[in-house]
Amino acid sequence: MSAAVNEAAHSAAHTPAGGPRPSRRPSHKGQDEAFLVVDDLSVQFPTEDGLVKAVQNVSYSLPLGRTLAIVGESGSGKSVSSMAIMGLHDPKRTIITGSISLGGEQIVGRSQDDMRKIRGQVASIIFQDPQSSLHPYFTVGWQLREAYREHHQVSKSVAHTRAIEMLDRVGIPHPKRRADQYPFEFSGGMRQRAMIAMALINDPQLIIADEPTTALDVTVQAQILDLLNDLQAEFGSAIIMITHDLAVVAEVADDVMVMYGGRAVEHGTAEQVLVRPNHPYTWGLLQSIPAVSSEQAELYPIKGNPPSLLSLPPGCSFAPRCPYVDRVPDGKCRTDLPELISRSAGDHGLSRCHLSNPDAIFAAEVEPRIA
Amino acid sequence: MLVYILRRLASAISVVLVTIVISFGLFFVAPSDPAGMLCGVKCTPARVAEIEKSLGLDKPTSEQFALYMKGLVVGRTYESGGVTRECPAPCLGFSFKNDQPVLGTLIARLPVNLSLVFGAALIFLITGVTVGSLAAKRPGTTGDRALVGTTLLMSSVPYYIIAILVFLYLVIQVPILPRPAYVSPFQNPGAWIAGMITPWLVLGIYSSTSYARYSRGSMIESLSEDYVRTARAKGLSDRRVTFVHALRAAITPVMTIFGLDVAGLLVSSIFTEKIFGLQGLGITALQSLTNYDLPLIMGTVIVGAVVLVIMNFIVDVLYSVLDPRVRLV
Ligand SMILES: Nc1ncnc2c1ncn2[C@@H]1O[C@H](COP(=O)(O)OP(=O)(O)O)[C@@H](O)[C@H]1O
Ligand code: SF4
Ligand SMILES: [Mg+2]
């Protein structure tokens, strides 16, 4: 099932340039070594309507202390690819191929019992909606204690002390009192802080934050992102930040992977992808958000709908919506799937597009609309 | 929490009071001839007058009601044919047919229903919720389909048919199950279990299918909740995720139905009582109707209402224990 082909070479090819931010976590393997290596990961769901190809051939690697942002419209496979790292897909209803190596351990094909030791301990996940992600019938302290005791043989009171310490650490006032309250007694932002406290209680090396701020007010969003940044600096964990919000990406990401229709279409450092993007879909994303710095007159939303994952077009999945489809000769966009490779000279990431002169098009036609 | 309980208690008491007034109104104010009905075949006008007097029917309605209420609080006495009968508080009336206070008759029957409910509820709640939860984890599999099919089949066969068949075949013809009889558990616990086991099994297993169905639906819903995914992501065992996290949320709506079912069984389980020959409240209510034993009918109605109200109160309190959000309402 797994295809761990030439892992070192592959991950080297896919690791975007640029050193990781300094990390305080002591690592006997050295700072640059990837903690998480995802190689040629595909996730498919057999359903009554056919095979849903939710994620196809995704590869990336992530060292400790570094943040990878996965960006894309809803339904592009961001969550599905990340849930695979936690082994959270039902093995009976999911076909997973490729390999995921977490701290040197292979994840794909592991039993649920093995995965239980990893979940919440080595890798933790923070979900989008703190309203529904905490159990409404248990106190916050109870839920944090449970997370800690699952991975540590300690008494209830030790775990309780640890829970209060974590609530305090994520900036919840009166943590002692708050620990005895139920989630519904918390505001949205406080709930997300509690969720983060629970995710970090076992000091995991990898944190997956799946749209952690989407359900929150703008001001609270910024606070939560700051908190995650602080915690990363303190604990040196690797973070996967899933989002469809490029403002969030700009704020937190070291590396960026843009997903479309289950595939990575552009992948590089934050600077490469946000400042010198090569893929028309990334261009579309940049044009469809209001620029922070300038008084941008118009927004250019991407027209059309995301592709059906049951029947992806044979060529480039973005072709039906791409304004540049005619710039590629011989209708190649509709017949050949472009590879995810380095496309032009200069400091760019990898992109999955047939255009031969993306640099020039970006400079002439796209940049004026976003600058 | 305390305020919540006190408020529920106040509303429970008012419901009981309203029930007393209404049932009093229905039976004593409504145009009927209770004395005539009680009197029987060899009835003389003098006898009717005497009965009316002993029932207090000769007095104005308001006075009758005041007497009734007074009886409830401090007890009262009844005169009949020159004999005085004591009806200690809370007096729900005096049944001349049985020659004893109504409450006494009802209380004598209550342990039968209590025993019945105790065993049957234990069976249907535990098996129903367990089977339903397990089925919910794999909806659409063979086991799940079998469960759904069985519950549909069960619910299309009336309960009394099953009870009669079990009684005829498994108790009488091939005596696998012991013959039902009520013995007080305080006198002889073994005989109590032996006497009740047949109705427990029949009622318990029959009802467990509908509990399996409720819990299955409720569990399918809660298993897809985000917080159950969170529980999995914490590294908890499948068992803990299902039976602590998912079931904790799924059990709440099931408890409401459970409370009502238990209340219903406490007051009456006519088929079970009749078929298995147990002298419970259901049979008593039935007899009081056929005898036109007015005080007993009214007492049954009030006791039924009180039991229902108490069960509702317990369910409310239980609900607030199960769902912390209710406590603040
Ligand atoms: N268990 C599943 N069975 C079938 N399809 C699924 C399942 N889980 C997710 N999908 C589909 O996979 C696609 C990608 O989903 P997801 O990764 O959640 O998107 P997003 O990028 O918004 O996080 C969606 O079209 C979704 O409908
Ligand atoms: S390959 Fe063609 S259709 Fe796809 S993004 Fe590039 S130009 Fe557009
Ligand atoms: Mg998602």
Side-chain angles (χ1 to χ4, degrees):
Chain A
M1 215 172 48
S2 84
V5 259
N6 200 356
E7 197 171 282
H10 194 100
S11 58
H14 284 273
T15 308
R21 292 205 311 248
S23 156
R24 271 199 257 151
R25 182 190 287 274
S27 164
H28 56 279
K29 288 180 178 175
Q31 303 273 303
D32 289 326
E33 197 164 329
F35 178 72
L36 169 68
V37 182
V38 174
D39 186 35
D40 204 26
L41 176 72
S42 297
V43 183
Q44 301 174 321
F45 302 106
T47 66
E48 277 175 16
D49 303 324
L51 195 60
V52 176
K53 296 179 177 170
V55 173
Q56 289 189 73
N57 311 101
V58 164
S59 301
Y60 59 85
S61 63
L62 187 62
L64 292 174
R66 212 170 157 86
T67 301
L68 167 74
I70 303 183
V71 197
E73 284 165 307
S74 159
S76 54
K78 306 182 298 290
S79 299
V80 167
S81 60
S82 309
M83 300 268 276
I85 299 169
M86 303 281 290
L88 283 174
H89 293 298
D90 183 346
K92 295 204 176 93
R93 290 167 196 211
T94 321
I95 303 167
I96 303 183
T97 58
S99 88
I100 298 169
S101 155
L102 191 66
E105 285 204 67
Q106 183 52 233
I107 298 293
V108 176
R110 288 288 280 277
S111 73
Q112 288 292 307
D113 273 349
D114 285 352
M115 285 313 298
R116 280 182 49 206
K117 298 193 188 80
I118 291 167
R119 289 182 202 140
Q121 162 95 316
V122 181
S124 277
I125 188 158
I126 301 160
F127 293 106
Q128 171 173 340
D129 190 356
Q131 165 95 40
S132 57
S133 296
L134 286 166
H135 202 299
Y137 298 164
F138 297 114
T139 63
V140 168
W142 188 96
Q143 298 184 53
L144 265 72
R145 283 203 303 272
E146 185 190 41
Y148 193 61
R149 293 185 76 191
E150 184 63 34
H151 300 286
H152 293 85
Q153 303 289 325
V154 296
S155 70
K156 211 170 128 181
S157 69
V158 170
H160 192 67
T161 310
R162 170 76 179 159
I164 290 170
E165 184 187 306
M166 284 310 294
L167 290 175
D168 187 39
R169 179 61 198 84
V170 297
I172 291 178
H174 314 297
K176 232 186 163 105
R177 188 164 58 81
R178 288 300 209 155
D180 294 330
Q181 292 184 341
Y182 291 89
F184 73 92
E185 295 171 81
F186 281 52
S187 69
M190 284 299 152
R191 246 177 252 162
Q192 195 59 303
R193 282 174 196 268
M195 194 69 206
I196 292 172
M198 187 161 81
L200 294 184
I201 201 162
N202 293 309
D203 196 8
Q205 283 124 308
L206 174 67
I207 299 162
I208 299 170
D210 192 344
E211 314 220 18
T213 59
T214 307
L216 305 175
D217 295 344
V218 185
T219 46
V220 182
Q221 283 187 11
Q223 293 168 6
I224 296 289
L225 292 180
D226 283 348
L227 174 66
L228 280 171
N229 264 340
D230 287 356
L231 291 168
Q232 184 179 37
E234 185 177 334
F235 297 103
S237 12
I239 295 184
I240 296 177
M241 172 68 69
I242 298 173
T243 181
H244 57 257
D245 185 349
L246 287 178
V248 171
V249 178
E251 176 107 353
V252 301
D254 298 303
D255 301 329
V256 180
M257 182 168 81
V258 181
M259 287 190 73
Y260 186 81
R263 293 192 181 98
V265 292
E266 183 144 25
H267 186 185
T269 62
E271 195 186 324
Q272 287 169 340
V273 175
L274 296 180
V275 184
R276 292 180 294 278
N278 267 351
H279 195 283
Y281 177 63
T282 314
W283 299 345
L285 289 178
L286 287 166
Q287 290 172 59
S288 61
I289 58 154
V292 200
S293 52
S294 68
E295 289 172 22
Q296 190 179 359
E298 259 184 280
L299 294 181
Y300 302 89
I302 307 171
K303 294 194 182 77
N305 295 311
S308 157
L309 299 173
L310 283 166
S311 54
L312 284 166
C316 169
S317 324
F318 191 53
R321 302 169 75 185
C322 181
Y324 306 95
V325 65
D326 296 329
R327 311 274 180 102
V328 177
D330 309 328
K332 207 173 155 196
C333 293
R334 303 196 191 276
T335 53
D336 293 18
L337 173 68
E339 276 181 80
L340 181 69
I341 49 172
S342 176
R343 292 283 167 179
S344 49
D347 189 15
H348 298 281
L350 313 173
S351 75
R352 201 185 268 285
C353 169
H354 290 307
L355 285 173
S356 55
N357 55 343
D359 269 358
I361 296 177
F362 180 69
E365 300 174 36
V366 183
E367 233 173 347
R369 289 179 165 187
I370 55 178
Chain B
M1 184 72 183
L2 192 66
V3 176
Y4 173 82
I5 291 181
L6 286 178
R7 265 185 11 213
R8 292 285 134 163
L9 200 60
S11 81
I13 290 171
S14 46
V15 169
V16 170
L17 287 178
V18 169
T19 312
I20 292 176
V21 173
I22 290 177
S23 60
F24 185 87
L26 281 179
F27 291 108
F28 282 79
V29 180
S32 62
D33 179 18
M37 295 296 288
L38 260 181
C39 195
V41 233
K42 285 181 265 167
C43 199
T44 62
R47 175 90 180 109
V48 171
E50 192 202 350
I51 293 175
E52 280 192 338
K53 190 152 178 293
S54 69
L55 288 174
L57 292 173
D58 53 340
K59 302 197 176 75
T61 313
S62 57
E63 200 176 321
Q64 285 183 45
F65 185 68
L67 263 175
Y68 193 80
M69 292 309 284
K70 186 175 157 237
L72 264 178
V73 184
V74 295
R76 63 190 278 198
T77 54
Y78 287 89
E79 302 274 343
S80 177
V83 190
T84 308
R85 313 278 169 173
E86 284 294 328
C87 180
C91 175
L92 287 180
F94 192 90
S95 163
F96 291 94
K97 281 258 146 84
N98 296 330
D99 198 25
Q100 68 164 307
V102 165
L103 194 62
T105 310
L106 296 178
I107 283 181
R109 304 292 168 86
L110 192 60
V112 173
N113 294 71
L114 279 174
S115 304
L116 194 61
V117 169
F118 173 81
L122 210 64
I123 293 178
F124 67 67
L125 191 64
I126 292 176
T127 48
V129 170
T130 313
V131 170
S133 303
L134 292 174
K137 291 191 61 189
R138 293 248 164 257
T141 54
T142 323
D144 179 48
R145 292 226 176 100
L147 171 82
V148 174
T150 313
T151 62
L152 283 179
L153 193 72
M154 284 285 225
S155 56
S156 61
V157 183
Y159 168 69
Y160 60 85
I161 303 253
I162 306 252
I164 289 172
L165 290 178
V166 169
F167 189 70
L168 282 182
Y169 289 101
L170 300 181
V171 177
I172 307 285
Q173 200 157 51
V174 192
I176 298 172
L177 293 169
R179 205 178 179 113
Y182 177 76
V183 179
S184 167
F186 304 106
Q187 271 169 23
N188 185 344
W192 175 64
I193 292 175
M196 295 304 290
I197 191 83
T198 307
W200 281 346
L201 285 175
V202 174
L203 189 57
I205 292 173
Y206 183 85
S207 313
S208 71
T209 58
S210 57
Y211 275 82
R213 208 165 55 230
Y214 306 141
S215 346
R216 178 183 175 273
S218 196
M219 275 296 271
I220 285 181
E221 210 172 293
S222 77
L223 278 168
S224 69
E225 294 282 359
D226 285 353
Y227 50 77
V228 168
R229 185 181 58 181
T230 304
R232 261 193 202 105
K234 283 158 97 171
L236 305 179
S237 67
D238 188 49
R239 213 216 231 127
R240 196 168 165 88
V241 171
T242 309
F243 290 105
V244 176
H245 287 251
L247 188 59
R248 181 68 170 71
I251 199 77
T252 316
V254 174
M255 286 323 279
T256 310
I257 303 164
F258 179 70
L260 293 177
D261 278 358
V262 166
L265 287 175
L266 276 178
V267 181
S268 152
S269 39
I270 290 200
F271 290 131
T272 309
E273 293 171 33
K274 191 95 190 155
I275 292 166
F276 296 117
L278 299 166
Q279 291 291 315
L281 282 173
I283 295 287
T284 310
L286 206 62
Q287 285 165 350
S288 71
L289 277 175
T290 42
N291 293 342
Y292 210 76
D293 188 346
L294 252 182
L296 192 53
I297 296 175
M298 200 175 138
T300 314
V301 169
I302 291 172
V303 166
V306 170
V307 168
L308 263 169
V309 166
I310 291 177
M311 279 314 296
N312 264 321
F313 174 71
I314 293 177
V315 166
D316 278 346
V317 172
L318 205 66
Y319 221 96
S320 79
V321 171
L322 286 174
D323 186 345
R325 286 170 297 190
V326 175
R327 279 171 227 166
L328 297 189
V329 177

